[in-house]
């Protein structure tokens, strides 16, 4: 649960990771996030004055890692907001409202976790992998840390990551033991990450899929899991103004026709709640 | 029914009584007979207090940022709202095409109202926060039903009537035409004894005339400005054909971009009426709030800035009280 | 008099004929029978070509940035304009309270027109730049006189009529009320055989209705948007009393802040008329111009952005021609 | 005369000078300015996003010096525009439209030049002092350089500068041989610069005054010179949107009631053209 105020955090480091930046914010007193939760971030100075006098509103980013009093974020420069954050130097200030949203709910059974990520969407899978390594999932939905401190047994964690090109594939370093594929064939299998996923499910379909990535990829994952009757949790994106349920701007249609706010009902949704993952429900990448 | 002599207490020559306390404690304001801890409220539709309670927990209750809480617009029937995308970031602002999603009058009264009342009740040193329910109807009959229902519920301290609703025949906002506005109010005002705030539309040739019509029609206060009609540029698809970005086609512009349009409209409206005015539009700081108060507003509402900083209203109220504006 | 059948040449289904040339050479556009080198003109009152000639010298002549030149508003009698201060920088924009200073019709015709004509005449490879004279009158008689005078002078290719002039009786802009606008045009249109562009006011409830009224009244084209009514905050003096900042009290907001309000109004107006539309408001780049063209504009005017970059219009025309939008 | 385009210039240096900054822009190909002319400047990146999402428009600054292919500007941080320029680092880019306006018209006679400046308004007096040192004034109004390359004879140049406090008085280093006074008495005479001016005129009234500074000071200089029948040229300020006559926003009232655009008819005006110098005709300091 986020405190009721944004926090002014210092940039601890901003490192290049292939086509991405890994932004590390010192947040020694912030509440620990659950895997899949996100933050609303804005540079404290000169937020604005980019393309079209933007950004004005804060931007949503998955918390990629939480360790040593720092929150890590994986950023891709796609517009004025991410550009400004990507250029920040150590010691500069960032406003952060975090952690927000509902994260992954690890399946408590013995189904093996299949982590499927695309592009900068791999970020929340890193902290999920950390959590899965730390312990076994709890069933208690109100638990702050969804992972019990007991050592995990049973099936190993499988990580499947897809990237557009080799520069972006450097992002895979954020997770350990990942199988990587790429659209242009520069790294690993040439093709979508659902090729890898289909192969894994062929091998052993007793799995739970945790996926995050661009809408088209998520939709492919959703459709594949539906066909194979494999439970999946999808971390969605949407254009957001507030991140805490205030603006009703971040909705996605759910099965049955109602709209759900991604920031408070998600960003992680059970795939079963969605008819499909639509493109352009927010900032496409 | 006319507003003259209606019982909101008001010292001579002043529309409200915000005074500046050098110790920085926000000083109480009286508005339409309601006692508010300070002059800052939220703009309708820009803060979901129940969602915020779930996100922020008990801190929200103890540090509730608004001196009165204004609900988002409630309509008679439930509305799903517009299809996404609903947001477009504009130069120094935001265009929204939310489409007034709400569970409808019945759902609101049954589910939201008790929960809101519990949240807003006096809590420790914090006095109770009055609840203002914002409603919209597309006909006089609808509006009358909404007002009557609000009259019955003690949790509701006052009603804000959103008149930015398109007239089904003309397609124009009901509130854009002074004569039509006054007529609708005269037909419906009798259904509510509580204070009625009329939220004017800014998309009009003469907002002062609309303000005056609202007063003549029986409003106890007016609030402005609502969002300016605007449109997001259509991204061009690969085929080169532009497609609409916002699910709702056009949308409404809010935030700093509209601040000085709001100031002009608030000043023009306040100069024309003798009832109190809630000013809003792009307020981000105590200085901006002060400009609206100087222009004749009694209260100031904070909208889009709460998206950037959920405690913006507290900050603004504190800085106003400290005279830092 | 109605506009139907008026002789601006227009290929079927198209309001003008800007086509994109891959070689980056700006392609010609036809507008109300005028041949323009590209679709970018200046917004009235935002470029004083004669002052610029004195400041920039012959470069201005050879690299004249606009495909047609629109004069600032000329009135019958000379006007000194508003007392200073006249400017207030707004979030992503500018509020001006210039007050339409000009030497009056006679002074304009005698002094400015010959000098402008000399500057705009064909020069080397650069074709002649058509001159559009912007005029404003507060009565039909005044407008008729202005139009008749413009009709007589061959230097003037077309007239833009600024209808953001307050009606002396109501205080509202003449152009804000569709019926009044159409009536004024019907009374005066006969005095001009050249193309008449009506520059609408954006401070109205229904700009599409005003656009339609302009067409019905005999306009050959419309242009929009003019500035949005806005007010600068009053700095507080040492005594604490706020004093007005702008010499003119209120002013008009221009620049990026109004861009997406402009886009909505241009789209709404263009959808309602069959005559060409000049779109403007906050245009800073070819992408912004393209959005207006996509929304139905035939030409795009650049105003406030020329203050930041006097050659902005050339840049935008070039990037449009290169398809970089 | 300015070229018809703004130029993208590199910051050569940005140095502290007491309360001010001396911003040096490399402008090797720019046309040489005349003393009293100004530039419209804007940072190329992140112009905006300061207080109230400003600055949006470029800002006017007197050219303080022109040497070695550089234009120097003396800046005082009074708001979002000056703040952004004050923080620029060497190598960053600035848009400049320059030189603009009509500068000082040096008196061609033997009247001794009295340079009177206040605060950051001393800037144009520096380049004027350079010009006066370089040669004697020409009468030709169309001459690009108003100083003939002949050595100047006759009366020496007198420089009188007033500052609010000691920190600001460091700005006096921009000129040579200045008599300095201050409002708080921390440097030189305690009192307004018109005290020094009155004293100089008592000594020898055959002089031409060239003045620049805050409106109240300019008005005091104007009134004093009027009483003493001493010709004066006043470099005015006004809020400006364009700097080249396009917006009609920068006007000051002149004798007879007409308004004059400061950017094209000024910024330097013969005192005789003005009834008085009004405060708040632009950005007060
Ligand atoms: C829950 C969540 C988690 C996220 N996690 C990450 C993460 O870990 N790492 C990461 O890099 N990103 C993440 N994102 C995406 C990130 O929030 C966006 O990339 C970011 O907001 C883009 O902002 P921008 O200003 O850089 O670009 P924008 O220009 O705002 O967005 C880029 C795209 O948005 C559209 N767009 C363009 N202009 C506008 C406009 N004016 N208004 C609205 N949309 C416009 C266009 O389609 C454009 O391609 C996440 C998003 C969500 C919701
Ligand atoms: C010809 C000329 C030469 C100049 N030379 C110099 C020079 O050499 N060095 C130097 O430091 N300065 C110089 N100036 C002044 C300089 O241009 C201003 O200080 C600068 O424009 C201020 O910009 P800002 O954004 O920093 O502050 P702003 O906030 O724009 O201006 C400061 C003052 O302007 C008023 N103001 C506040 N908000 C606004 C607003 N939104 N819109 C308009 N006004 C507002 C207030 O009174 C405020 O105190 C010169 C000005 C002119 C015209
Ligand atoms: C996302 C969003 C939703 C809004 N919903 C409503 C609404 O339901 N009812 C209403 O009267 N106004 C609504 N408004 C308008 C605001 O109450 C306010 O009038 C406007 O945003 C100007 O204030 P601001 O610039 O501070 O946001 C909404 C504004 C935004 C940005
Ligand atoms: C300083 C200034 C002066 C203007 N003068 C006139 C004018 O004389 N006549 C007119 O019709 N519009 C005038 N306008 C309005 C512009 O022509 C234009 O409609 C408006 O500024 C929107 O375009 P922009 O955002 O590109 O500036 C003026 C605008 C500005 C900023
Ligand atoms: S981002 Fe505002 S409600 Fe979700
Ligand atoms: S600054 Fe625009 S006319 Fe002088």
């Amino acid at each position: 649960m986020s405190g009721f105020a944004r926090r002014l955090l210092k940039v601890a480091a901003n490192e290049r990771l292939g086509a991405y930046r890994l932004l590390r914010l010192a947040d020694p007193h912030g509440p620990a996030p659950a895997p899949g939760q996100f933050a609303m971030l804005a540079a404290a100075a000169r937020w604005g004055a980019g393309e079209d006098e933007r950004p004005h509103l804060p931007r949503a980013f998955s918390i990629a890692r939480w360790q040593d009093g720092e929150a890590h974020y994986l950023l891709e420069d796609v517009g004025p907001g991410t550009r400004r954050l990507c250029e920040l130097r150590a010691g500069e200030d960032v406003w952060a409202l975090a952690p927000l949203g509902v994260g992954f709910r690890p399946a408590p059974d013995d189904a093996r976790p299949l982590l499927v990520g695309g592009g900068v969407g791999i970020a929340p899978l890193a902290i999920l992998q950390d959590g899965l390594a730390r312990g076994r999932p709890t069933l208690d939905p109100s638990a702050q840390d969804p992972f019990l401190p007991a050592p995990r047994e049973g099936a190993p964690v499988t990580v499947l990551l897809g990237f557009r090109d080799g520069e972006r594939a450097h992002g895979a370093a954020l997770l350990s033991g990942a199988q990587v594929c790429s659209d242009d064939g520069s790294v690993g299998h040439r093709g979508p990450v659902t090729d890898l996923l289909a192969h894994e499910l062929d091998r052993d379909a007793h799995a739970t899929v945790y996926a995050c990535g661009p809408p088209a990829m998520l939709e492919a994952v959703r459709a594949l899991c539906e066909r194979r009757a494999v439970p999946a949790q999808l971390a969605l994106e949407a254009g957001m103004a507030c991140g805490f349920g205030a603006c009703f701007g971040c909705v996605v249609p759910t099965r049955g026709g109602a709209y759900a706010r991604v920031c408070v009902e998600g960003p992680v949704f059970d795939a079963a709640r969605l008819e499909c993952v639509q493109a352009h429900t927010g900032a496409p990448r | 029914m006319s507003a003259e002599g209606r019982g909101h207490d008001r010292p001579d020559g002043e529309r409200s009584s915000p005074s500046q306390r050098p110790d920085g404690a926000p000083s109480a304001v009286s508005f339409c007979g309601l006692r508010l801890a300070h002059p800052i409220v939220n703009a309708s539709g820009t803060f979901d207090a129940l969602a915020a309670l779930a996100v922020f927990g008990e801190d929200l209750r103890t540090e509730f940022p608004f001196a009165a809480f204004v609900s988002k617009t409630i309509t008679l029937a439930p509305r799903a709202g517009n299809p996404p995308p609903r947001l477009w970031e504009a130069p120094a602002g935001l265009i929204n095409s939310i489409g007034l999603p709400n569970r409808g009058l019945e759902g609101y009264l049954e589910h939201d109202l008790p929960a809101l009342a519990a949240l807003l009740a006096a809590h420790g040193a914090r006095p109770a926060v009055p609840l203002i329910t914002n409603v919209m109807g597309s006909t006089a009959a609808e509006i009358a039903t909404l007002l009557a229902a609000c009259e019955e519920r003690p949790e509701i301290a006052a009603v804000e009537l959103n008149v930015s609703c398109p007239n089904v025949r003309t397609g124009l906002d009901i509130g854009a035409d002074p004569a039509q506005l006054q007529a609708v109010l005269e037909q419906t005002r009798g259904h509510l004894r509580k204070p009625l705030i009329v939220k004017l539309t800014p998309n009009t040739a003469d907002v002062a005339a609309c303000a005056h019509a609202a007063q003549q029609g029986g409003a106890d206060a007016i609030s402005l400005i609502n969002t300016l009609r605007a449109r997001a540029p259509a991204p061009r698809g690969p085929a080169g054909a532009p497609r609409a970005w916002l699910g709702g086609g056009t949308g409404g512009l809010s935030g700093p971009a509209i601040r000085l349009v709001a100031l002009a409209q608030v000043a023009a409206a306040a100069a024309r009426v003798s009832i109190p005015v809630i000013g809003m539009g792009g307020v981000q700081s105590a200085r901006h709030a002060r400009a609206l108060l100087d222009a004749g507003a009694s209260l100031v509402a904070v909208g889009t800035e709460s998206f950037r900083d959920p405690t913006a209203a507290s900050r603004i109220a504190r800085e106003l009280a400290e005279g830092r504006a």
Side-chain angles (χ1 to χ4, degrees), chain A residues 51-125:
Chain A
E51 192 198 350
D52 290 352
E53 326 298 314
R54 300 164 56 222
H56 178 62
L57 299 157
R59 297 297 194 256
F61 297 96
S62 303
I63 298 162
R65 190 145 268 150
W66 176 258
Q67 69 186 25
D68 308 328
E70 289 182 3
H72 296 194
Y73 298 93
L74 187 69
L75 308 184
E76 180 170 14
D77 173 352
V78 299
T82 47
R83 190 157 311 145
R84 177 73 183 117
L85 291 169
C86 282
E87 80 185 13
L88 288 176
R89 284 179 267 224
E92 295 195 280
D93 290 324
V94 172
W95 285 113
L97 187 70
L100 297 166
V102 177
F104 293 109
R105 276 133 298 190
D109 63 15
D110 282 340
R112 71 179 171 134
L114 271 174
L115 277 50
V116 184
V120 77
I122 63 171
L125 304 181

Side-chain angles (χ1 to χ4, degrees), chain B residues 10-123:
Chain B
R10 171 148 53 90
D12 349 62
E14 287 231 3
R15 291 210 174 82
S16 68
S17 50
S19 65
Q20 197 173 289
R21 282 176 53 172
D23 62 357
S27 52
V29 184
S30 130
F31 172 82
C32 292
L34 305 174
R35 199 153 177 80
L36 308 189
H38 57 77
I40 308 298
V41 303
N42 67 301
S44 173
T46 65
F47 202 91
D48 181 335
L50 298 177
L53 184 63
V55 173
F56 300 120
E58 289 300 308
D59 282 3
L60 178 74
R61 193 188 305 274
T62 40
E63 296 153 35
F64 198 78
F66 309 108
F69 180 72
V70 183
S71 79
K72 67 172 140 51
T73 293
I74 308 299
T75 51
L76 208 50
R79 290 169 61 108
N82 290 334
R86 292 179 169 182
L87 302 173
W88 182 263
E89 198 180 50
L94 169 68
I95 301 182
N96 84 78
S97 173
I98 307 292
L100 305 177
N102 75 95
R103 30 178 29 149
L105 178 65
E106 232 176 280
Y108 172 76
L109 296 178
E110 190 176 334
H111 299 289
D112 295 353
L113 200 48
L116 281 172
L119 170 62
L120 302 176
H123 182 76

Side-chain angles (χ1 to χ4, degrees), chain B residues 18-287:
Chain B
S19 65
Q20 197 173 289
R21 282 176 53 172
D23 62 357
S27 52
V29 184
S30 130
F31 172 82
C32 292
L34 305 174
R35 199 153 177 80
L36 308 189
H38 57 77
I40 308 298
V41 303
N42 67 301
S44 173
T46 65
F47 202 91
D48 181 335
L50 298 177
L53 184 63
V55 173
F56 300 120
E58 289 300 308
D59 282 3
L60 178 74
R61 193 188 305 274
T62 40
E63 296 153 35
F64 198 78
F66 309 108
F69 180 72
V70 183
S71 79
K72 67 172 140 51
T73 293
I74 308 299
T75 51
L76 208 50
R79 290 169 61 108
N82 290 334
R86 292 179 169 182
L87 302 173
W88 182 263
E89 198 180 50
L94 169 68
I95 301 182
N96 84 78
S97 173
I98 307 292
L100 305 177
N102 75 95
R103 30 178 29 149
L105 178 65
E106 232 176 280
Y108 172 76
L109 296 178
E110 190 176 334
H111 299 289
D112 295 353
L113 200 48
L116 281 172
L119 170 62
L120 302 176
H123 182 76
R126 200 209 71 201
V129 175
L131 172 64
I132 299 171
T133 295
N134 179 300
V135 300
M136 187 180 88
S138 52
T139 63
E142 263 187 43
I143 293 172
T145 308
L146 289 158
L147 295 186
C150 290
E151 177 62 26
E152 271 176 25
R153 294 294 294 258
E155 300 96 322
I156 299 176
V159 174
E160 182 174 63
L161 179 65
N162 178 352
V163 295
S164 296
C165 179
N167 177 311
V168 252
R169 259 175 312 113
T170 64
L172 293 187
D173 288 355
I174 288 184
D177 174 39
Q180 181 175 223
L181 175 59
Q182 184 174 339
V184 164
L185 291 176
E186 281 167 352
Q187 284 166 60
T188 55
R189 183 64 188 89
H191 294 272
L192 185 77
R193 302 205 294 183
K194 295 172 184 172
L196 177 68
I197 306 156
V198 173
K199 181 154 181 188
L200 303 175
T201 171
N203 301 302
T204 178
D206 188 358
V207 78
C210 295
H212 187 247
Q215 172 166 343
Q216 291 305 111
D220 299 292
I222 53 170
S223 56
L224 71 167
I225 68 171
N226 212 319
T227 56
L228 295 183
R229 209 176 290 130
R231 172 187 280 259
R236 311 199 111 207
R243 34 187 189 78
W245 172 265
L246 291 173
T250 58
L253 180 62
S254 65
I258 70 167
R259 186 188 311 135
L260 300 179
V261 172
L263 184 61
Q265 294 208 355
V266 167
R272 191 71 163 276
V273 297
S274 56
I275 51 179
V277 174
I278 308 179
M280 72 192 90
V283 171
Q284 303 182 285
S285 70
R287 188 164 42 81

Side-chain angles (χ1 to χ4, degrees), chain A residues 163-208:
Chain A
F163 295 94
R164 202 182 316 157
D165 51 37
E167 265 303 281
R168 288 186 170 78
H170 284 287
L174 211 60
L175 287 95
S176 51
Q179 300 175 46
V180 176
C181 63
S182 57
D183 294 354
D184 66 356
S186 58
V187 182
H189 168 74
R190 178 199 203 107
V193 72
T194 36
D195 289 356
L196 304 184
L197 176 59
H199 184 254
E200 284 293 329
L201 294 178
D202 288 345
R203 227 166 43 87
D204 174 7
H206 182 49
T208 300

